[in-house]
Amino acid sequence: MVSIHKQEARKLSISLVSPSSRDLGPNCGEDLDSEFSEKTDEEPADVYGVGDPAAKYSQMSPHLSSRGSIIKCFRDAAEEGYRAYFLDKYDEDKNPNGIINFGTSENKLCFDLLSSRLNQRDMHHMEPSLLRYPNWKGHLWLRNEVARFLSYYCKAPVPLKPDNVVVVNGCASLFSALATVLCDPGEAFLIPSPFYGAITQHVYLYGSVRLVFVHLDSRVTGMDSRPFRLTVKKLEIALQGAKTEGIHVKGLILINPQNPLGDIYSQEQLQEYLEFAKRHKLHVIVDEVYMLSVFDESAMFQSVLGMDRIPDPQRTHVIWGTSKDFGISGFRFGTLYTENQDVANAVASLGCLHGICGTVQYQMAQLLQDRDWIDQVYLSENHARLRAAHAYITKELEALNIPFLRTKAGFFVWIDLRKYLPVDTFEEEFSLWQRFLDHKVLLFCGKSFECKEPGWFRLIFSDKIHRLQLGMQRIRKVLEKEPQLAQTSLPASPWTIAVSQNEVASDSESKELLWKYGLATRSPV
Amino acid sequence: MVSIHKQEARKLSISLVSPSSRDLGPNCGEDLDSEFSEKTDEEPADVYGVGDPAAKYSQMSPHLSSRGSIIKCFRDAAEEGYRAYFLDKYDEDKNPNGIINFGTSENKLCFDLLSSRLNQRDMHHMEPSLLRYPNWKGHLWLRNEVARFLSYYCKAPVPLKPDNVVVVNGCASLFSALATVLCDPGEAFLIPSPFYGAITQHVYLYGSVRLVFVHLDSRVTGMDSRPFRLTVKKLEIALQGAKTEGIHVKGLILINPQNPLGDIYSQEQLQEYLEFAKRHKLHVIVDEVYMLSVFDESAMFQSVLGMDRIPDPQRTHVIWGTSKDFGISGFRFGTLYTENQDVANAVASLGCLHGICGTVQYQMAQLLQDRDWIDQVYLSENHARLRAAHAYITKELEALNIPFLRTKAGFFVWIDLRKYLPVDTFEEEFSLWQRFLDHKVLLFCGKSFECKEPGWFRLIFSDKIHRLQLGMQRIRKVLEKEPQLAQTSLPASPWTIAVSQNEVASDSESKELLWKYGLATRSPV
């Protein structure tokens, strides 16, 4: 059954996702390079930016400290879209006119599989040691399982060690803890942008650590081989720029597979970035939280933990968790792997503030050790469902003539709506975001990812077909009303998709396949 | 069955715990007042101290930030005793010569009750919403249950509101979050000492918030009506002293029932402390984490949430959790109740770093709403077991002629071993602590609670009888070897217990009762 799914999914994937001549697979940049004319070396001023959350939020509360007031503003700001969403959530039966959430990066395709696994008898274990204070690094038997799990899935050349593992309640906590123990207040990490925007608050809320954005660019320039490509040159410019501004940069954050771009770094790229960090004695935090969500089987994922030689192992710290790859963000489970015992112990010291329930630690150990279920049931099915959902959404985007970055991993598509902005500003981007929300579809706009070009949006596709369909109908409705800029007046967008009918499955074919993968409901809206 | 236990427990409690003429119940201080001669007003210099964790830990790590190095040292220091303990834990069967833990404040008497309740069918619930990102304030249905629970057990004059509730992974996280949102780095809270020492790290690790100790004193002085009594005068002196030193005090921390003293504040006391805070516009964090662990039925506990009028409700924040009262510290569940929405929202903003697994939130809601089980099964049985264990330990202390503070709540007895210190220093206290550890019993000494007088120890009694017996044998062995200072050379200790045989149950009677309460094992060591 599983293998049939796999085959069908591959067929679907090939028919819907196979790159067109203008599509941007990770290795197609060279062609594009020669195709477009605006290849200029970046001006340093374009290439980096310095985040300053305190400047953004200045409203003081009479009962809070200065930092408390800023911390509160983070919640107020985050709630803007969510408040509307939570008050008027889409529900097939109870609120069919409610808001569809294409914003939050969650995998909603596999609750059935996870619920069923987590409800099995072996999960319901109770013993006094689980009810008592744990070791704040995590129970040893869990760290053993994490080390085994990561050794296997990251293809580690030698078995990873449980002593190098710390488990806490989610990857957000790991960012917070690492920022605090690696940086003093006001110090900074480099991070390529666009990036998963919540990291700003994870390192700032408690840590008062700032981010220096290494701005990536949709233009394919002399330095790049693909849009939004991270190069060492950009890292160097940003680092030097920050230094000139008196900012003490202590490390580099890499997300791989990247969120929101979906990029998977090649072994060579990784090596280059890590060598750059080593040269400058920078710590590297590598967030591999989507490592098992590489749904396209033609893609190769290279974990840092699977490298034959990590350039500076004492300054290399890898984050993984179950939120994305197992679609259980509500479980709050994140793991750090670092050979640096000072870092591990300092993070563990903060562990008393990031503890996980003992019975949940037990369940996570049971889950991670169940290699049969993960390999033979879960991953294959999850990837098939992701492929099918991705195929559906990208086909819709093609039909709407919306350019997007084609990806093989993650739950998101990075879409280019610049032609719908009458003026090239973030105010206009926000205004478009608001119109989507008015039409009951929540997206995240580029500003949330510190993208330097207004007009980009991240669309989450890891959802059931009836919600994808309804959401796309609403997006279509908004965009149909928008005056479009003539293509010629836009900065050239090299990865605009040329939709060719013979490249995509017919609507009915696609629907049938989606039905098979359990993505469709019996009565799609 | 339950009511029989209750009756028997009361009998045991009366026979073993009834105050002797020199025993210190909360209301017996007036008599003592006139009995002792060294009643002097405190010198200000004696009455407060300023904590400075950074000064204590100066060892820098080459890979960590300055604060990271200090954070790591906290773990190293905490591990001193625990490292030995974890390497050589007592186990009845596997390691009968291992270390007995009289140090960690856990209730080990009720794992059977909790395991059985948490294993019931209603706890094994799974639905997609539990697997997804929660509201960082906690799921609304859980906050509803917390509000109902606190309304009932705190005897709130009007129903408490779920909007004022924030749930996070343990009370440590609440201290961290409140410190951060109420204080800027370097600012401080007042706290009466001795106090639960971990609060130092909870407010300092992330928050860099310091504590100003309001030193309580074993002497009964003109200001006091009982040893270690907190008075407003002491609070005033400490606050003024800190101001003089340029320390910005933002609030007051109260623990009620107090840890390690076991004091339960009367309504009048509470009112006085809160009025003091209001006068000075100080926030008050009231930690009521032992509120349901008042095992002596003659005692009355007054929750701040049960007061008819809270003097400054916008600056009053109450903490409670399940770690102590339900003996499940491994579950990591703490709740904040505050009417101040800025504080609630700022803490909720940090909630993304202190999240609880959705299924655990569900279980906690099920537990807290089960009023029948809590009232008719759990609390009565738990209190009976605590009474029996307390009776056993205090009888043993009396037999050893060790003075202690008699209490009616909590899991601990605050014992006076000053006569075993050849010199009145913390070095000697540490040395005695080390000798206990060498004899395989882990206690916490007064220094861990910032007690200003060397020679005090906290002994945890909420454990099974065979471990209590073995631990006490080992303590006896250590003390028998110690040269004792003649009573006359000691500062007068007004609460030295006069052991009178007719006041305590006979050994056999006590043992029989302990058997009935399930505290004894079949083959006690």
Side-chain angles (χ1 to χ4, degrees):
Chain A
M1 172 101 176
V2 170
S3 60
I4 293 171
H5 276 186
K6 220 165 170 175
Q7 273 180 13
E8 284 173 349
R10 195 173 300 136
K11 199 173 93 192
L12 177 67
S13 154
I14 291 164
S15 60
L16 291 186
V17 188
S18 67
S20 77
S21 61
R22 308 195 68 185
D23 175 51
L24 299 181
N27 301 317
C28 67
E30 305 310 320
D31 297 337
L32 291 166
D33 227 8
S34 58
E35 237 181 286
F36 293 90
S37 54
E38 77 295 4
K39 291 170 205 158
T40 55
D41 273 327
E42 298 281 350
E43 293 301 309
D46 274 328
V47 190
Y48 78 96
V50 181
D52 187 2
K56 219 152 110 187
Y57 304 125
S58 55
Q59 202 190 343
M60 286 297 294
S61 156
H63 290 108
L64 301 178
S65 59
S66 304
R67 62 179 169 183
S69 296
I70 297 168
I71 288 168
K72 179 183 159 284
C73 287
F74 267 99
R75 182 170 169 89
D76 299 343
E79 278 205 334
E80 253 175 52
Y82 276 123
R83 197 175 295 128
Y85 170 64
F86 281 115
L87 287 173
D88 185 22
K89 239 181 199 176
Y90 170 80
D91 183 282
E92 200 179 334
D93 303 314
K94 293 179 210 150
N95 191 21
N97 295 318
I99 296 170
I100 293 276
N101 184 352
F102 281 179
T104 311
S105 185
E106 289 184 310
N107 185 347
K108 297 174 204 160
L109 295 168
C110 293
F111 290 142
D112 56 335
L113 303 178
L114 264 299
S115 291
S116 142
R117 181 64 190 88
L118 292 168
N119 256 336
Q120 277 175 32
R121 266 190 101 75
D122 66 328
M123 293 289 174
H124 301 152
H125 181 69
M126 192 70 70
E127 60 176 82
S129 71
L130 300 178
L131 305 185
R132 298 179 56 187
Y133 284 115
N135 179 332
W136 297 121
K137 258 182 124 167
H139 282 292
L140 180 59
W141 36 261
L142 172 58
R143 287 185 286 123
N144 278 328
E145 286 308 335
V146 169
R148 268 185 223 124
F149 177 90
L150 293 178
S151 299
Y152 179 78
Y153 287 103
C154 299
K155 301 185 179 66
V158 294
L160 301 173
K161 295 177 190 157
D163 269 359
N164 299 343
V165 174
V166 185
V167 301
V168 299
N169 66 336
C171 295
S173 301
L174 287 172
F175 273 111
S176 176
L178 284 171
T180 304
V181 307
L182 299 178
C183 303
D184 282 312
E187 294 183 339
F189 288 122
L190 288 182
I191 190 165
S193 77
F195 65 91
Y196 172 55
I199 293 174
T200 299
Q201 74 193 75
H202 299 157
V203 302
Y204 188 82
L205 284 177
Y206 270 130
S208 302
V209 168
R210 295 160 74 182
L211 296 175
V212 172
F213 315 129
V214 185
H215 281 312
L216 307 182
D217 196 308
S218 67
R219 286 175 306 166
V220 173
T221 70
M223 295 200 287
D224 307 331
S225 59
R226 122 174 194 108
F228 296 104
R229 183 180 164 93
L230 177 63
T231 62
V232 168
K233 186 163 179 193
K234 289 179 189 174
L235 289 168
E236 293 279 5
I237 293 171
L239 179 62
Q240 294 315 317
K243 270 190 189 164
T244 312
E245 294 191 37
I247 295 162
H248 195 178
V249 173
K250 295 294 278 288
L252 164 67
I253 296 173
L254 295 174
I255 309 171
N256 186 31
Q258 216 272 3
N259 174 4
L261 301 173
D263 282 0
I264 302 172
Y265 296 137
S266 69
Q267 183 149 8
E268 294 68 34
Q269 281 175 294
L270 269 182
Q271 194 79 36
E272 279 177 25
Y273 308 150
L274 297 186
E275 293 288 356
F276 155 81
K278 185 181 182 183
R279 271 199 305 283
H280 296 284
K281 293 194 176 164
L282 296 178
H283 290 272
V284 190
I285 299 175
V286 192
D287 175 357
E288 298 188 352
V289 80
Y290 289 97
M291 75 166 179
L292 297 182
S293 301
V294 181
F295 53 83
D296 185 324
E297 286 169 349
S298 73
M300 275 290 292
F301 170 74
Q302 170 69 57
S303 167
V304 164
L305 297 177
M307 292 171 82
D308 284 332
R309 196 188 56 79
I310 295 173
D312 191 355
Q314 286 296 307
R315 287 197 184 84
T316 306
H317 320 295
V318 179
I319 286 176
W320 180 79
T322 51
S323 290
K324 310 298 180 185
D325 284 344
F326 286 95
I328 47 172
S329 41
F331 259 66
R332 316 310 307 132
F333 179 77
T335 79
L336 168 69
Y337 192 88
T338 178
E339 291 186 25
N340 187 318
Q341 285 305 302
D342 278 3
V343 174
N345 282 318
V347 170
S349 185
L350 291 167
C352 62
L353 308 173
H354 300 301
I356 308 173
C357 177
T359 56
V360 175
Q361 294 198 39
Y362 184 84
Q363 288 163 9
M364 291 301 96
Q366 291 300 105
L367 183 72
L368 299 184
Q369 59 80 37
D370 192 353
R371 209 65 52 80
D372 284 350
W373 180 81
I374 295 173
D375 281 345
Q376 286 156 37
V377 179
Y378 176 67
L379 282 184
S380 50
E381 185 62 22
N382 180 32
H383 291 170
R385 293 181 186 184
L386 282 171
R387 274 194 297 274
H390 179 258
Y392 171 78
I393 278 292
T394 51
K395 187 174 66 67
E396 288 288 306
L397 291 170
E398 286 163 352
L400 282 168
N401 208 22
I402 296 174
F404 61 92
L405 211 60
R406 207 171 275 276
T407 58
K408 299 177 175 186
F411 309 154
F412 27 75
V413 189
W414 187 237
I415 65 177
D416 177 6
L417 300 179
R418 288 181 297 168
K419 63 183 168 190
Y420 296 100
L421 305 191
V423 193
D424 190 26
T425 63
F426 286 110
E427 287 70 28
E428 288 297 336
E429 178 183 275
F430 180 75
S431 160
L432 180 56
W433 175 86
Q434 188 63 57
R435 287 195 294 284
F436 284 130
L437 196 60
D438 293 344
H439 282 74
K440 305 291 183 77
V441 57
L442 176 67
L443 287 170
F444 283 172
C445 53
K447 186 69 191 157
S448 313
F449 303 90
E450 301 290 354
C451 183
K452 76 165 181 176
E453 299 171 7
W456 292 86
F457 286 74
R458 188 187 73 175
L459 191 158
I460 298 295
F461 64 78
S462 45
D463 204 348
K464 300 274 180 186
I465 188 67
H466 66 283
R467 284 191 291 259
L468 295 184
Q469 284 173 332
L470 186 59
M472 287 310 293
Q473 277 167 26
R474 292 175 180 178
I475 285 177
R476 182 186 289 268
K477 224 176 249 175
V478 173
L479 296 182
E480 275 170 0
K481 287 183 195 163
E482 299 288 320
Q484 257 185 68
L485 266 71
Q487 286 287 350
T488 46
S489 72
L490 268 178
S493 177
W495 58 98
T496 302
I497 307 296
V499 183
S500 133
Q501 277 312 317
N502 61 4
E503 278 175 20
V504 298
S506 72
D507 204 11
S508 62
E509 187 189 339
S510 151
K511 211 170 263 169
E512 200 190 318
L513 282 165
L514 290 166
W515 270 89
K516 282 189 188 152
Y517 290 114
L519 288 164
T521 59
R522 271 167 203 280
S523 52
V525 180
Chain B
M1 173 103 177
V2 171
S3 61
I4 293 170
H5 275 187
K6 216 167 174 175
Q7 273 180 11
E8 284 173 349
R10 196 172 300 137
K11 198 173 92 192
L12 177 65
S13 153
I14 290 164
S15 62
L16 291 186
V17 189
S18 67
S20 75
S21 61
R22 305 194 69 185
D23 175 51
L24 300 181
N27 300 316
C28 67
E30 304 310 320
D31 296 339
L32 292 167
D33 225 8
S34 57
E35 240 182 283
F36 293 91
S37 53
E38 78 295 5
K39 291 169 201 157
T40 54
D41 273 327
E42 298 279 350
E43 292 302 308
D46 275 328
V47 190
Y48 78 95
V50 181
D52 188 2
K56 220 151 110 186
Y57 303 125
S58 56
Q59 203 190 342
M60 285 297 293
S61 157
H63 290 108
L64 301 177
S65 59
S66 305
R67 62 179 170 185
S69 296
I70 297 169
I71 287 167
K72 180 183 158 284
C73 288
F74 267 99
R75 182 171 168 89
D76 299 342
E79 278 204 336
E80 253 176 51
Y82 276 123
R83 196 175 295 127
Y85 171 63
F86 281 115
L87 288 174
D88 185 22
K89 240 182 199 176
Y90 170 79
D91 184 282
E92 198 179 334
D93 303 314
K94 292 179 212 151
N95 191 20
N97 294 320
I99 296 171
I100 293 276
N101 184 352
F102 281 179
T104 312
S105 185
E106 289 185 309
N107 185 348
K108 296 173 203 159
L109 295 168
C110 292
F111 289 143
D112 57 335
L113 303 178
L114 264 298
S115 291
S116 142
R117 182 64 191 87
L118 292 168
N119 256 336
Q120 278 176 32
R121 265 190 103 74
D122 66 328
M123 293 289 175
H124 301 152
H125 181 69
M126 193 71 71
E127 60 176 84
S129 70
L130 300 178
L131 305 184
R132 298 180 55 188
Y133 285 115
N135 178 332
W136 297 121
K137 259 181 123 168
H139 283 291
L140 180 58
W141 35 262
L142 172 58
R143 288 185 286 122
N144 277 327
E145 287 307 336
V146 169
R148 270 186 221 121
F149 177 90
L150 293 177
S151 298
Y152 179 77
Y153 287 103
C154 299
K155 301 187 179 65
V158 294
L160 301 173
K161 294 176 190 158
D163 269 359
N164 300 342
V165 173
V166 185
V167 301
V168 299
N169 66 336
C171 295
S173 301
L174 287 172
F175 273 110
S176 176
L178 283 170
T180 303
V181 307
L182 299 179
C183 304
D184 282 312
E187 293 182 338
F189 287 121
L190 288 181
I191 190 165
S193 76
F195 66 90
Y196 172 54
I199 293 175
T200 298
Q201 74 192 76
H202 299 156
V203 302
Y204 188 82
L205 284 176
Y206 270 130
S208 302
V209 169
R210 295 161 73 182
L211 296 176
V212 172
F213 315 130
V214 185
H215 282 312
L216 307 183
D217 195 309
S218 66
R219 286 175 305 166
V220 173
T221 70
M223 295 199 287
D224 307 332
S225 59
R226 115 177 200 109
F228 296 104
R229 183 180 164 93
L230 176 63
T231 63
V232 168
K233 189 165 178 192
K234 289 180 190 173
L235 289 169
E236 293 279 5
I237 294 171
L239 179 62
Q240 294 315 319
K243 270 189 189 166
T244 312
E245 293 191 37
I247 296 163
H248 196 178
V249 174
K250 295 295 276 289
L252 163 67
I253 296 173
L254 295 174
I255 309 171
N256 185 31
Q258 216 273 1
N259 173 4
L261 301 173
D263 282 359
I264 303 171
Y265 296 137
S266 68
Q267 181 149 10
E268 294 68 35
Q269 282 176 292
L270 270 182
Q271 193 80 35
E272 279 176 26
Y273 307 150
L274 297 186
E275 292 289 355
F276 154 83
K278 185 181 181 181
R279 269 198 307 282
H280 296 284
K281 294 192 175 165
L282 295 179
H283 289 273
V284 189
I285 299 175
V286 192
D287 175 356
E288 298 188 352
V289 79
Y290 289 98
M291 75 166 178
L292 297 181
S293 300
V294 180
F295 54 82
D296 185 324
E297 287 170 346
S298 73
M300 275 290 293
F301 171 75
Q302 170 69 56
S303 167
V304 164
L305 297 176
M307 293 172 83
D308 284 333
R309 196 187 57 78
I310 295 173
D312 192 355
Q314 286 296 307
R315 288 196 185 83
T316 306
H317 320 295
V318 179
I319 286 177
W320 180 79
T322 51
S323 291
K324 309 299 179 183
D325 284 343
F326 286 95
I328 48 172
S329 41
F331 259 66
R332 317 309 308 132
F333 179 78
T335 79
L336 169 69
Y337 193 89
T338 177
E339 292 185 24
N340 188 319
Q341 285 305 302
D342 280 2
V343 174
N345 282 318
V347 170
S349 185
L350 291 167
C352 60
L353 307 172
H354 300 302
I356 309 172
C357 176
T359 56
V360 174
Q361 294 197 40
Y362 184 84
Q363 288 163 7
M364 291 299 97
Q366 292 298 105
L367 183 71
L368 298 184
Q369 59 82 36
D370 192 353
R371 209 65 52 77
D372 284 349
W373 179 81
I374 296 173
D375 281 344
Q376 286 157 36
V377 180
Y378 176 67
L379 282 184
S380 50
E381 185 61 22
N382 181 31
H383 291 171
R385 293 181 187 184
L386 283 171
R387 273 195 298 274
H390 178 258
Y392 171 78
I393 279 292
T394 51
K395 186 175 66 67
E396 287 288 307
L397 291 169
E398 286 163 350
L400 282 168
N401 209 20
I402 296 174
F404 62 92
L405 211 58
R406 207 171 275 277
T407 57
K408 300 177 175 186
F411 308 155
F412 26 75
V413 189
W414 187 238
I415 66 177
D416 177 5
L417 299 179
R418 289 180 297 171
K419 63 183 169 190
Y420 294 100
L421 305 191
V423 194
D424 191 25
T425 64
F426 286 110
E427 287 70 29
E428 287 298 337
E429 180 184 274
F430 180 76
S431 159
L432 180 55
W433 175 85
Q434 188 62 58
R435 288 196 293 286
F436 285 130
L437 195 61
D438 294 343
H439 281 75
K440 305 291 183 78
V441 57
L442 176 67
L443 287 171
F444 283 172
C445 53
K447 186 70 191 160
S448 313
F449 304 90
E450 300 290 354
C451 183
K452 75 165 182 178
E453 298 171 6
W456 292 85
F457 286 73
R458 188 188 73 175
L459 190 158
I460 299 295
F461 65 78
S462 45
D463 204 347
K464 301 272 181 187
I465 187 68
H466 67 282
R467 285 192 290 259
L468 295 184
Q469 284 172 333
L470 185 59
M472 287 309 294
Q473 277 167 27
R474 293 174 181 179
I475 286 177
R476 182 187 290 268
K477 224 177 249 173
V478 173
L479 296 182
E480 276 170 1
K481 287 184 197 162
E482 299 289 320
Q484 258 185 66
L485 265 74
Q487 286 286 350
T488 47
S489 71
L490 270 177
S493 177
W495 59 96
T496 303
I497 308 296
V499 184
S500 135
Q501 278 310 318
N502 60 3
E503 279 175 18
V504 298
S506 73
D507 204 12
S508 61
E509 186 188 338
S510 153
K511 209 169 265 171
E512 201 190 316
L513 284 165
L514 291 165
W515 270 89
K516 282 190 188 150
Y517 290 114
L519 288 165
T521 59
R522 272 166 203 282
S523 52
V525 180

